[in-house]
Amino acid sequence: MIELTDIHKRYATGRHIVNVLSGINLTVDTGECVCLRGPSGTGKTTLLNIMGGMLSPTTGDVRVLQTSLTDLAHHMLSAYRRKHIGFIFQHYHLLEKLTVMENLLMPLIPCGRPLEPGKAKMLQLLERLQIGHRLTFPVHCLSGGEHQRVAVARSLMNDPNIILADEPFSNLDKDNTLFIVSMFKELKKQGKTFVFTATAQPMPWETDFIDRDIYYGSE
Amino acid sequence: MLAIPLTIIIAIVSAFSFFIEGVRRDALLAADYYPDILIQQQVGGRTESLFFDRYDDVLKDINAIKSYYPRSWGYINHTDSKNRIKSFVVMGLDPEYISSGLFIDVAIEQGRSLREHDYNKAIAGKALAAAFDCTTGDTIEVTSPGLRKPVLIEVVGIFDTAVQIYSADLLLVDRQTANTILGFIDDNESSDIMVYLSNPAMAGMVASNLLKKIDGANPVTKSAMQSLTEQSFGQKSGFFHLLWFILLVNVMIIAWSLTSHISFSLRKEIGILKAIGWDTGDIMILKSFETLTIGFFSIIAGLIGGIAYMFSGAPGIKQMIIGWTDIYPEFPIPLYVNASTVFLIIILGIIPLLAGTLFPIWRIGAIDPDKAIRQ
């Protein structure tokens, strides 16, 4: 499903060139759950962004569903993200001025589909994530755990087949983590592909969820 | 951030625009009532009063002239309760001329019009009546600059006309009374003579004929007077054009600052929208609606603010626009909301803002969403 071939990513910061990724090769199969694990600064998020079509590699090829992302124009990349990708950012990146409902409906607008079925799905997701009562709340009024649940709900609104999550549990307490993991497990059973990042060592609850750990950096 | 400066700029520009449009419209309406030729007397290059008999002998023999009327006019002073001296216009006309239809349309709101032999009686414009705090039946004391003895005038009517600028501060009396107020020697003396022709197209020819026949006559044709009015208000509208320029420059500055200083929050918002599948085009449409809504409401608020300012008496700008030298007539502001001006304000307000909103989105749209979110 996802094939990364000889991926390099360099950032220029002033006079310095930082090599974040050097010759990364990775394949993720459909329905697989892969965890990119390692300390901060090893390029896990960069790799996740490259898979999501949100960042171009300096060199190398990214193929998702037999399509090379490196050949796609900006508007085609937008369509790719819209159709196939559910992205959960480490810092949520919700639109703070909008309400929970508006945030969740945002991914549906460019699809041009009627919003009513989407609203039904949104309510279902929020109920499942136990934040249905926050529907009309402005996002900036939510707690950290609620932010994360809204971010999870948003990533699922377009029914993506690939879910990319950047340290999705790092800001959550144990109860919230277990709750979201149980939801992810259900989605995995439906055939969704997961790639997520983590800095910590594998936790007990991850064993029946993660198919493969890939270590970066000193690990 | 955008709404407040835009509202203020629009309020200032619209206030001036509607005011100047109103004044110009009034002036042009008044110009329609100008006589075909106005004859003045010049002595040593100065305009002086004239003696009607001398002109009457010549005018009655010119076939192209249909009718002619002497007119006496000048200024009267009035000291208000705060000891401020205000000037008003006194105009002496023959009652037959007022009722002839040649004079500006006069609607008597209270009392009656002037009749034959109505000496020391007047009909007063509304602003003048308000300043003198008089109504029909009241007697007012009128003093002209340079005239020692005040004249008592009975107000027999209050009038209004379509042309505020011309009539609001006017005291209309018969010519004899005006001559008394203005200190003319006798009834034969007048300020000028209004001449009406059978064929107004012959005005130029009749005027040159008059120049030859009467020494010191200064015949001014209607077209020359209209041109003078245009020039007078054109000069004021030069100020108006400057304001339009200021509007444009200010909106351009706002647009430029929007373009050059792309806020982190905007950049992040665009990055997030792109990350969840929005295309740059979708974001541009969304932001266009947002800018149009903010811009439109700011402009409407500005227009309402401008009109409200004018209705409050336009403190600070009224005298600048309607005053002539040191005479500042008292009359209501002739406010005129012109649809084309409103349209122009909206266009000049919106287009640069739209450009200033869309250009940065287009620029950010060309970079990866991750970069946009992080930068």
Side-chain angles (χ1 to χ4, degrees):
Chain A
M1 177 168 248
I2 303 171
E3 275 182 76
L4 305 182
T5 311
D6 195 25
I7 297 294
H8 290 260
K9 183 67 186 176
R10 279 191 291 273
Y11 289 111
T13 53
R15 290 179 183 175
H16 304 286
I17 303 282
V18 181
N19 282 304
V20 181
L21 299 172
S22 301
I24 300 288
N25 293 293
L26 174 68
T27 304
V28 180
D29 295 326
T30 303
E32 194 181 11
C33 178
V34 173
C35 179
L36 310 175
R37 206 177 287 280
S40 298
T42 49
K44 306 181 299 296
T45 302
T46 302
L47 197 59
L48 209 63
N49 280 324
I50 288 172
M51 284 185 224
M54 295 209 286
L55 191 62
S56 315
T58 309
T59 57
D61 188 36
V62 185
R63 296 187 83 80
V64 179
L65 299 162
Q66 278 81 51
T67 304
S68 172
L69 299 190
T70 41
D71 296 339
L72 293 182
H74 275 281
H75 69 281
M76 295 298 286
L77 277 172
S78 291
Y80 157 74
R81 289 190 291 267
R82 189 159 64 231
K83 282 181 192 161
H84 303 295
I85 301 294
F87 206 102
I88 303 163
F89 295 93
Q90 185 184 1
H91 301 294
Y92 325 121
H93 290 325
L94 299 171
L95 296 165
E96 296 290 319
K97 284 185 253 175
L98 305 185
T99 63
V100 169
M101 181 168 71
E102 288 161 345
N103 264 281
L104 295 192
L105 292 177
M106 275 291 170
L108 303 181
I109 293 170
C111 299
R113 292 199 296 260
L115 289 182
E116 283 312 312
K119 279 185 185 169
K121 180 171 184 178
M122 171 188 71
L123 294 173
Q124 198 184 357
L125 274 170
L126 290 177
E127 285 307 317
R128 214 168 143 198
L129 288 161
Q130 299 177 352
I131 46 168
H133 59 293
R134 298 286 195 227
L135 186 68
T136 54
F137 271 52
V139 160
H140 63 84
C141 296
L142 302 180
S143 69
E146 286 170 335
H147 264 92
Q148 187 68 306
R149 289 173 195 217
V150 175
V152 169
R154 184 181 65 181
S155 72
L156 301 175
M157 282 301 290
N158 273 344
D159 198 22
N161 37 27
I162 302 167
I163 294 156
L164 305 173
D166 190 9
E167 302 194 32
F169 313 118
S170 62
N171 297 317
L172 297 180
D173 56 29
K174 191 183 171 193
D175 288 344
N176 273 312
T177 303
L178 291 176
F179 181 78
I180 288 177
V181 166
S182 69
M183 193 176 176
F184 282 178
K185 282 178 183 172
E186 276 180 47
L187 292 167
K188 191 172 169 244
K189 278 181 196 162
Q190 292 168 22
K192 306 283 182 198
T193 304
F194 279 85
V195 180
F196 68 94
T197 64
T199 47
Q201 290 297 315
M203 303 300 256
W205 47 261
E206 292 179 355
T207 50
D208 57 343
F209 173 50
I210 293 169
D211 298 313
R212 190 153 46 114
D213 270 314
I214 300 171
Y215 287 90
Y216 287 91
S218 59
E219 301 288 327
Chain B
M1 184 197 92
L2 168 73
I4 294 168
L6 184 63
T7 303
I8 293 169
I9 295 164
I10 296 291
I12 294 168
V13 172
S14 58
F16 271 95
S17 303
F18 299 150
F19 190 13
I20 288 173
E21 286 287 338
V23 172
R24 191 208 294 252
R25 182 170 162 269
D26 256 21
L28 291 175
L29 272 173
D32 282 344
Y33 289 95
Y34 289 161
D36 294 322
I37 298 173
L38 185 74
I39 308 174
Q40 296 173 324
Q41 177 73 46
Q42 289 216 319
V43 178
R46 300 184 312 272
T47 301
E48 298 279 345
S49 59
L50 53 81
F51 290 94
F52 182 63
D53 284 354
R54 191 173 154 232
Y55 285 81
D56 192 25
D57 290 341
V58 177
L59 295 174
K60 69 184 177 193
D61 292 333
I62 299 175
N63 289 333
I65 294 175
K66 191 168 71 178
S67 57
Y68 50 96
Y69 304 90
R71 181 176 71 169
S72 298
W73 64 271
Y75 298 100
I76 53 172
N77 286 342
H78 174 65
T79 308
D80 67 10
S81 56
K82 290 177 183 166
N83 229 22
R84 289 179 305 202
I85 298 171
K86 290 182 177 174
S87 292
F88 296 91
V89 177
V90 61
M91 189 176 285
L93 297 167
D94 293 333
E96 60 182 289
Y97 173 69
I98 296 174
S99 56
S100 68
L102 295 168
F103 185 56
I104 216 159
D105 282 337
V106 172
I108 303 294
E109 288 204 344
Q110 266 182 52
R112 61 171 179 84
S113 187
L114 287 177
R115 295 176 190 146
E116 201 74 36
H117 310 301
D118 256 347
Y119 303 126
N120 292 350
K121 291 186 168 54
I123 51 175
K126 284 169 82 176
L128 183 138
F132 278 81
D133 193 23
C134 66
T135 183
T136 48
D138 289 350
T139 299
I140 58 172
E141 200 173 85
V142 174
T143 321
S144 184
L147 192 74
R148 286 183 188 164
K149 195 180 165 192
V151 179
L152 295 176
I153 303 287
E154 185 194 346
V155 177
V156 294
I158 309 286
F159 71 91
D160 194 10
T161 75
V163 186
Q164 286 288 326
I165 196 171
Y166 193 74
S167 62
D169 65 336
L170 189 62
L171 187 72
L172 211 53
V173 293
D174 81 297
R175 207 164 55 78
Q176 264 181 281
T177 308
N179 283 5
T180 309
I181 295 169
L182 298 168
F184 286 167
I185 294 167
D186 58 31
D187 294 346
N188 191 29
E189 199 175 353
S190 70
S191 304
D192 44 39
I193 299 170
M194 297 172 291
V195 176
Y196 294 87
L197 305 177
S198 311
N199 178 7
M202 296 172 73
M205 203 176 73
V206 174
S208 38
N209 200 9
L210 287 169
L211 268 174
K212 283 178 206 161
K213 289 190 172 174
I214 308 168
D215 275 349
N218 177 29
V220 186
T221 61
K222 184 175 186 172
S223 61
M225 285 185 279
Q226 284 173 330
S227 154
L228 198 67
T229 305
E230 278 286 325
Q231 277 176 28
S232 165
F233 287 95
Q235 197 177 7
K236 286 172 194 296
S237 64
F239 185 69
F240 168 70
H241 290 137
L242 179 69
L243 276 165
W244 274 105
F245 178 70
I246 291 169
L247 164 73
L248 198 62
V249 167
N250 275 284
V251 177
M252 296 289 253
I253 289 170
I254 294 174
W256 180 79
S257 71
L258 284 173
T259 311
S260 59
H261 178 71
I262 302 163
S263 67
F264 172 69
S265 61
L266 175 67
R267 198 184 291 269
K268 187 177 170 186
E269 186 183 345
I270 293 168
I272 293 171
L273 287 171
K274 287 199 78 180
I276 60 173
W278 284 59
D279 187 23
T280 308
D282 301 325
I283 301 170
M284 285 169 90
I285 292 169
L286 173 82
K287 286 289 170 187
S288 297
F289 277 118
E290 204 176 288
T291 304
L292 284 173
T293 308
I294 294 171
F296 184 74
F297 279 106
S298 301
I299 287 170
I300 295 296
L303 288 171
I304 292 169
I307 291 169
Y309 174 70
M310 300 315 290
F311 270 118
S312 71
I317 67 167
K318 182 181 173 186
Q319 310 299 20
M320 184 163 46
I321 305 285
I322 62 176
W324 287 268
T325 62
D326 58 345
I327 298 160
Y328 297 108
E330 280 289 321
F331 56 79
I333 292 166
L335 192 67
Y336 182 61
V337 180
N338 187 344
S340 58
T341 308
V342 172
F343 181 72
L344 203 60
I345 287 174
I346 291 172
I347 294 297
L348 283 182
I350 290 283
I351 287 180
L353 286 181
L354 213 51
T357 305
L358 297 184
F359 181 64
I361 294 171
W362 174 76
R363 267 174 58 197
I364 301 168
I367 60 174
D368 288 327
D370 179 63
K371 270 189 192 166
I373 293 170
R374 280 168 189 255
Q375 273 176 357

